[in-house]
Amino acid sequence: MGGGWPRNPGRRYRATRHNVGFRVVDRLAARWDVAVEREAHRALVGEARRAGERVLLVKPQTWMNESGEALASLARF
């Protein structure tokens, strides 16, 4: 997995809505000082505690059209 492209790759898609989720996760991870690097369920995952709740920051390591597979697997877990 290590650093794959779950978002659409290339300059053409860099600033599009297809990649906005990863940018949000990156900003939250930086703000909360969370590493999003543990490999699990075809995704990179980081964990934080916010207001007493467990929060997972997730970057699926699949193409955008297949990201539901990684998220469904994580939700079942």
Side-chain angles (χ1 to χ4, degrees):
M1 246 183 332
W5 274 93
R7 48 191 155 176
N8 286 329
R11 288 178 174 263
R12 177 178 172 191
Y13 296 105
R14 181 171 289 163
T16 68
R17 63 186 167 88
H18 298 287
N19 294 328
V20 73
F22 264 45
R23 292 196 309 269
V24 169
V25 168
D26 289 341
R27 285 190 178 208
L28 288 173
R31 182 178 293 170
W32 297 344
D33 194 28
V34 173
V36 181
E37 57 190 23
R38 182 173 51 108
E39 294 182 14
H41 303 275
R42 297 182 66 196
L44 295 176
V45 180
E47 186 174 329
R49 282 260 181 230
R50 305 300 298 168
E53 295 288 327
R54 180 180 179 206
V55 177
L56 296 180
L57 298 177
V58 179
K59 293 181 173 183
Q61 297 298 290
T62 59
W63 284 92
M64 188 193 71
N65 295 1
E66 299 170 356
S67 61
E69 295 174 18
L71 296 178
S73 176
L74 241 156
R76 283 190 299 272
F77 175 72

